[in-house]
Each structure stands twice: as structure tokens, then as C-alpha cells.
Amino acid sequence: MTRVIAFANQKGGVGKTTTAINIGASLAAIKRRVLLIDLDPQGNAGTGLGFVRAAHKQSIYPVIMGLGAAADNILSTAIAGMHIMPSSPQLSGAEVELLDMENREYRLRDALESIMDHYDYVLLDCPPALGFLTLNALTTADSLIVPLQCEFFALEGVQHLVNTIGEVQKKWNPGLGILGVLLTMYDRRNSLSKAIDQDVRATFGDKVFQTVVPRNVRVSEAPSHGQPALFYDFNSPGAQAYLRLATEIVEACGDNNK
């Protein structure tokens, strides 16, 4: 059974793409077959895995537009067991193009049907907006991970995302649920981080992952070297946090494969 997980938060700078990359690498490290799909026009997931846009023609754009097959737009990464379907600058105009398309809410889900069985996990890195690209991710996903930065306005806008999830459940994908809320950029020396931690857990209860991702220089440096933190500095606190988080995700998904 393939698990499809979307990483979404309309607020930018919360560690969404960093989390998607590092969770993908951590799942691959524990012998899961992983496909990361970059739905963000900025294309940072591909860059963070060492890909240069101009060096390849493959992307999610022709797949979601019905111009190319999913299998023809997948690249192998340097990480055994992990593949990526990269972004494209053309995605910037996709929101407008999708407006008049038939079955516009299910373009991604339908396009991925032929390759789903090849993977244990399909990870969808959403853009920082609640438009048609994110909607396509939410109609395709089984569950959602919401990264939240430990800052004063952490919960601002999250209720809007929760409301959107409710609408998606009612209209398009009744099986969608929140797998977990993830606290990122956590500073244990900072009383604000602890206060945000308490507020988020009071709001979302056991939907908040036990693992928190610390503010860590090595995690921040890793994308500029085209590597997940796990491969850039295995022993760094950030890399180890993502490994623990991958274990939580596997358990939450009921994934008992050894």
C-alpha cells in the first residue's frame, strides 16, 4: 500500500521543503521506496537534492497538464531508493491554466495512478498558497503534515488550512486527514519556542509529533550542497531529528514492513 503524504502550510519559511527532502531521505535510509514530487514553482526541492533545472527536461508540469506520462518525468537521486519529480518554472502559470481544465481538482491523482505501486511513500511538496496546485495535492494525498515554525505568528493562518482540509474532505477527498503537525526551527534556549510548543499541543493535541526539529546550522547549509542533512552531516541534531520523525511517520502510517 502506497502512502501519499502532502506537506502544506500557506505560510512560507516554515521548513516545509526542508522537511519534505529530509523525510524522503530518512525514509529511503530505512529501506522505503520514496518519490518526492515538487509542486512549488520555486523548485527548491530539486535544488536541495543537487539538481539544476536547466540540466533536465523532466518535471511535474507536463504530468499535471496531461502532456506527458508520470514515468517519463521521474529522476533518480543520489540516495538509493529515492526519486524525484522536479518542479518547473512553467508551474507559475499552472494556477491559471488549471482554471478551465476538465477534472481540474484531480489532475495529479489521475496522472499518478500508473506509478503508485512502484513506491512505498509519495511525498508532495506544496507551494506556500492554497491554490489549485495545493488542492491537487490534497485530493491525491491520504494525509497531511503541517510544518510550523516556532515563532510568534506560528498558528496564524493554520485555522484557515484546517478549514480548507475540511472542505476538501467534504467535496473531494473524504479520506484526507492530518498525519501530524511538526514544530520546526525549535530553540530550546528560547522561552518563545517552549510557549509555542505548549500552544500548538494545546490546540492539536496528539496530532503534534513528539519529535521537534531544532534550529540547526547544518540543516540550513545542506541544501546549498545539494544534499539532505542526513547525508551532509549525519550526526547533526537536525539530521537525527528527521530520522526520529521518519520513525514516527512510519508508525503513524501503520507501516510494519521491516
Side-chain angles (χ1 to χ4, degrees):
M1 176 183 172
T2 305
R3 284 85 173 175
V4 185
I5 303 173
F7 295 80
N9 189 332
Q10 73 268 34
K11 191 173 187 304
V14 298
K16 178 180 53 62
T17 298
T18 298
T19 296
I21 291 171
N22 283 287
I23 288 303
S26 297
L27 289 169
I30 57 175
K31 308 301 181 186
R32 301 308 192 269
R33 300 167 300 166
V34 179
L35 173 63
L36 173 60
I37 298 178
D38 188 357
L39 287 160
D40 189 341
Q42 296 176 86
N44 291 335
T47 304
L49 287 168
F51 290 97
V52 178
R53 283 195 186 192
H56 60 81
K57 64 179 192 281
Q58 292 88 347
S59 85
I60 182 60
Y61 177 79
V63 177
I64 204 168
M65 291 298 162
L67 304 172
D72 296 332
N73 285 279
I74 294 172
L75 298 172
S76 296
T77 72
I79 302 157
M82 184 176 180
H83 295 157
I84 185 171
M85 195 179 292
S87 178
S88 162
Q90 291 172 292
L91 275 184
S92 297
E95 296 286 351
V96 175
E97 292 179 69
L98 285 166
L99 269 174
D100 298 321
M101 284 193 166
E102 185 179 348
N103 217 27
R104 62 189 180 185
E105 298 90 0
Y106 296 109
R107 304 287 300 187
L108 181 64
R109 185 199 67 178
D110 294 347
L112 296 181
E113 278 184 8
S114 61
I115 60 161
M116 281 294 190
D117 289 345
H118 300 167
Y119 299 97
D120 299 307
Y121 289 88
V122 174
L123 309 180
L124 309 174
D125 184 25
C126 300
L130 295 175
F132 279 115
L133 291 173
T134 297
L135 178 57
N136 267 265
L138 297 182
T139 57
T140 305
D142 310 311
S143 55
L144 178 72
I145 290 177
V146 183
L148 282 184
Q149 185 179 357
C150 289
E151 62 170 22
F152 185 72
F153 295 110
L155 288 169
E156 187 178 278
V158 174
Q159 188 56 51
H160 184 37
L161 177 61
V162 170
N163 293 340
T164 299
I165 293 167
E167 287 298 308
V168 172
Q169 289 171 326
K170 283 191 289 186
K171 295 180 180 178
W172 300 290
N173 185 6
L176 179 68
I178 295 178
L179 183 64
V181 176
L182 174 67
L183 292 168
T184 64
M185 305 177 204
Y186 192 97
D187 187 346
R188 296 189 186 279
R189 302 165 299 178
N190 189 330
S191 60
L192 179 60
S193 286
K194 295 176 183 176
I196 296 298
D197 190 340
Q198 292 173 351
D199 286 348
V200 172
R201 293 185 193 279
T203 302
F204 291 100
D206 60 5
K207 284 296 183 184
V208 184
F209 288 111
Q210 290 301 309
T211 301
V212 298
V213 178
R215 188 175 293 278
N216 182 230
V217 172
R218 305 301 272 174
V219 170
S220 301
E221 290 175 348
S224 66
H225 294 268
Q227 294 181 317
L230 191 67
F231 291 83
Y232 180 64
D233 187 349
F234 179 83
N235 293 314
S236 66
Q240 290 300 305
Y242 279 119
L243 270 177
R244 291 193 299 274
L245 179 59
T247 301
E248 277 198 69
I249 290 170
V250 164
E251 291 174 354
C253 288
D255 177 0
N256 299 314
N257 295 335
K258 302 296 182 185

